[in-house]
Amino acid sequence: MTPSNLIGGHVFVTGGLAKGGLKYAADIGAEVIQVFVTNPRGWALSEGNPAEDAKLRESGMPVFVHAAYLVNFGSPTPETLENSIAVTRHTLRRGVETGALGVVVHTGSAVSQPREAAMRQIHERLLPVLDEIPDDGPDLLLEPMAGQGQMLCATVQDLGPYLEALDHHPKVGVCLDTCHAFAAGHDLAAPGGVKETMDALNDVAPGRLKLIHANDSKDPCGSKRDRHENIGAGHIGAQAFGDLMRHPTAAGVPICIETPGKVEKHREDIELLKKLRGD
């Protein structure tokens, strides 16, 4: 029997990673959670609370950590690059401390430098970080973006050169965001669109899909705009998420929503995904 997908979401952790995060998870019916362990819009490296970390590890709740949004391994600005490496190292360490399965990072942009230079930089600077991850530590999950500007990775095919730059390191995985993929031109709403996308992902990164960000899209396919919508309320539509869970490449891969709203909306989105799962 095909393993089913755990369904959950990004949770608010006011009051503590475990105290706040697990309460929010219970309120929305999450079976898996994603958290921030630093300010997502800054470079500050927040130390954890060992008691909260222990509670989270002992809860049995599968956890993923999302790195700060500012991380960009392709940046031509030395300060941004150094900060990106420092934040990623720190977030991976916090991933170990919280028992996280994976740490999600955005794949970044070349900004003003040639793409080749950015990819070379990723090879030189990110590979040593991957080598430091303990065997039982979290995977580093590459999340392709919506395709604006000089993004290094937007379509699933773009993952090929990125994985190559990282020597197909065993600790590298993929986090597929449905809104990003749709914005980048993968028409998940079209008949056969999910199959085509997931087949392509399996061709380029077999066995590497470790997390799915389930987000509908406020904008049409190919818009290159990253604006999330609640499940079934956007241009992707509910059916695509059912198709996604039935595709062999997604078998057993946890799903987290990052949709608009708070408890009520998030509970509704998770309930809908569970129905589409066949509950």
Side-chain angles (χ1 to χ4, degrees):
M1 190 177 158
T2 307
S4 71
N5 310 83
L6 292 176
I7 294 169
H10 191 101
V11 298
F12 298 100
V13 295
T14 312
L17 269 185
K19 190 176 178 188
L22 293 174
K23 181 186 184 305
Y24 197 89
D27 289 346
I28 63 175
E31 302 163 339
V32 53
I33 60 172
Q34 177 180 273
V35 296
F36 288 123
V37 292
T38 61
N39 175 357
R41 300 185 190 282
W43 294 119
L45 307 180
S46 323
E47 286 308 316
N49 175 329
E52 285 290 302
D53 293 350
K55 275 186 209 155
L56 197 55
R57 284 196 311 272
E58 290 155 14
S59 70
M61 175 68 74
V63 177
F64 289 86
V65 173
H66 200 304
Y69 294 133
L70 299 179
V71 167
N72 182 10
F73 307 121
S75 174
T77 309
E79 190 184 2
T80 301
L81 179 60
E82 294 308 324
N83 281 329
S84 296
I85 295 296
V87 163
T88 302
R89 270 204 172 97
H90 175 81
T91 308
L92 283 164
R93 178 169 66 77
R94 294 290 295 119
V96 171
E97 291 165 357
T98 54
L101 299 170
V103 167
V104 178
V105 286
H106 290 169
T107 42
S109 164
V111 192
S112 57
Q113 70 173 330
R115 188 183 185 87
E116 296 70 29
M119 297 310 274
R120 195 162 52 244
Q121 189 170 285
I122 285 164
H123 175 79
E124 289 165 4
R125 299 305 306 275
L126 196 50
L127 261 181
V129 177
L130 291 166
D131 284 337
E132 292 164 12
I133 304 173
D135 289 345
D136 60 350
D139 291 325
L140 188 70
L141 307 185
L142 306 174
E143 180 178 5
M145 304 307 294
Q148 289 168 308
Q150 301 303 308
M151 288 296 172
L152 294 170
C153 197
T155 65
V156 297
Q157 289 84 356
D158 291 338
L159 282 163
Y162 211 104
L163 288 167
E164 212 167 284
L166 295 172
D167 293 351
H168 294 87
H169 197 284
K171 293 304 283 182
V172 175
V174 172
C175 169
L176 181 74
D177 185 308
T178 54
C179 178
H180 295 177
F182 191 67
H186 293 291
D187 195 351
L188 304 175
V194 167
K195 183 181 186 310
E196 192 179 311
T197 302
M198 297 305 279
D199 286 353
L201 176 59
N202 190 55
D203 286 346
V204 79
R208 291 193 186 260
L209 182 64
K210 306 291 183 182
L211 181 64
I212 293 166
H213 284 166
N215 301 305
D216 213 321
S217 173
K218 288 184 189 290
D219 298 290
C221 181
S223 68
K224 294 185 167 42
R225 300 182 74 185
D226 178 20
R227 297 200 308 150
H228 298 186
E229 182 55 283
N230 296 100
I231 306 299
H235 287 268
I236 297 175
Q239 181 59 47
F241 295 94
D243 294 346
L244 184 63
M245 285 185 266
R246 283 186 291 277
H247 193 283
T249 300
V253 177
I255 293 174
C256 279
I257 59 164
E258 301 173 317
T259 51
K262 294 281 174 75
V263 173
E264 198 174 306
K265 282 285 191 190
H266 291 161
R267 192 189 303 118
E268 284 173 12
D269 282 341
I270 286 173
E271 281 172 1
L272 177 52
L273 285 172
K274 285 177 178 176
K275 271 193 199 128
L276 291 164
R277 179 174 68 184
D279 290 19

